[in-house]
Amino acid sequence: MIPASFDYVAPTTVEEALAALAQYGDEAKIIAGGQSLLPVLRMRLNAPEWVIDLGRIDSLKGVRDEGDSILIGAMTRHCDVATDPLVAEHAALVARATATVADEQVRHRGTFGGALAHADPAGDLGAPALALDAEFVIAGPGGERVVPGSEFFQGLFETAVSEDELLVGVRIPKHTGWTAHYEKFVRVAHQWPICAVGATLKVSGGVIEGAAIGLTNMGATPLRAAGVEQALVGQQATEEVVRNAAALAADGAEPPSDLNGDADYRRHLVTVLTRRAITKALGG
């Protein structure tokens, strides 16, 4: 289908984008890479009067080293995040998860910030960002504010970004030397995962010194598998330890039931994927 007609503006600075958002208000929609919005427009599930395109704001693109953390600009494309050397070195879980997003076409158009702001619980980036204690930099009329990952995802397709604000960057504390793996299960290649698990570990002398585990599509928002993390830290990296820890993956989760699988199926599946993700992160 063809979208309903709309007016279009392409600001070149964050300030211009915020001004346009203030001017057009509820009649406007923000477009980043367009991989979520364009299908909605084509099906006429939404018909904004104005579309504000962030694609020409160069300050929102790229990855920067900030000492103890890295900052990924909201308009950085998935393909650039997945291949960036800073991300690979200091946030390997993000690099691995981003490389699995959809297909090559989507990864060359879709953006890191756009996917996170969309907040689809089946999206691949929320759980890794949450697991790595990411902070979300949000710009609005009053300036910038920083929201921790634990407060950013607020519900199904809901985030802490207000209607007059923009997500401009994601700051991730460095996890240098941590191993990582992102394990997802799909019925059809390039589809949204039925569920997925991101695991990143710090191991020294065969002992797991740090663990961060994020769960995708196991609730209305991305989740941390805190019980799994606690069961791993301080333990020898053995098959038995991994198996026992993975068995805790679904604790506290409220997974959905849909045509791809009911809640009980997902609870079982996530324990399998957690074991695989941890094992592969350990080099198995």
Side-chain angles (χ1 to χ4, degrees):
M1 293 179 64
I2 300 173
S5 62
F6 55 81
D7 288 307
Y8 172 86
V9 59
T12 58
T13 67
V14 171
E15 291 73 22
E16 290 176 1
L18 290 172
L21 200 55
Q23 180 176 352
Y24 304 124
D26 293 340
E27 298 178 346
K29 292 293 287 186
I30 295 291
I31 189 168
Q35 301 308 293
S36 299
L37 180 61
L38 286 177
V40 170
L41 297 183
R42 290 183 65 185
M43 290 186 287
R44 300 203 177 192
L45 298 176
N46 198 306
E49 295 291 325
W50 286 85
V51 169
I52 304 172
D53 186 353
L54 305 183
R56 299 182 186 177
I57 305 180
D58 291 337
S59 64
L60 299 185
K61 301 174 184 177
V63 182
R64 298 201 305 269
D65 191 324
E66 294 193 332
D68 293 334
S69 63
I70 60 172
L71 180 71
I72 303 176
M75 287 298 294
T76 309
R77 298 180 303 165
H78 299 314
C79 62
D80 295 322
V81 173
T83 58
D84 187 275
L86 284 174
V87 178
E89 182 179 3
H90 304 299
L93 181 56
V94 167
R96 289 181 176 271
T98 307
T100 75
V101 171
D103 55 31
E104 289 283 356
Q105 280 186 307
V106 170
R107 291 195 292 273
H108 277 76
R109 287 294 305 169
T111 65
F112 191 71
L116 289 167
H118 185 55
D120 189 324
D124 290 302
L125 303 183
L130 187 64
L132 292 176
D133 295 316
E135 296 179 334
F136 293 78
V137 185
I138 298 169
E144 287 190 353
R145 63 190 181 100
V146 177
V147 176
S150 59
E151 299 175 13
F152 181 78
F153 300 102
Q154 300 189 343
L156 189 67
F157 298 103
E158 277 187 62
T159 72
V161 182
S162 300
E163 292 183 358
D164 60 350
E165 295 180 315
L166 297 171
L167 176 64
V168 295
V170 181
R171 183 174 290 114
I172 301 175
K174 288 182 177 177
H175 287 68
T176 313
W178 289 53
T179 60
H181 184 76
Y182 187 71
E183 185 79 12
K184 61 196 287 187
F185 186 81
V186 296
R187 289 176 52 245
V188 180
H190 308 145
Q191 194 182 46
W192 299 109
I194 295 175
C195 66
V197 178
T200 186
L201 307 169
K202 182 180 181 182
V203 182
S204 178
V207 177
I208 301 172
E209 295 184 345
I213 313 293
L215 308 181
T216 297
N217 212 11
M218 285 297 290
T221 65
L223 301 174
R224 286 285 290 270
V228 178
E229 296 172 356
Q230 292 167 8
L232 290 173
V233 174
Q235 302 298 313
Q236 291 286 331
T238 66
E239 182 178 345
E240 181 181 5
V241 166
V242 171
R243 183 174 61 252
N244 291 340
L248 305 173
D251 288 4
E254 297 181 4
S257 292
D258 54 31
L259 292 176
N260 290 316
D262 63 19
D264 287 339
Y265 173 68
R266 282 185 164 90
R267 289 189 184 96
H268 166 72
L269 182 58
V270 78
T271 64
V272 176
L273 299 183
T274 299
R275 177 173 51 80
R276 291 179 184 174
I278 295 170
T279 300
K280 291 180 181 178
L282 289 170

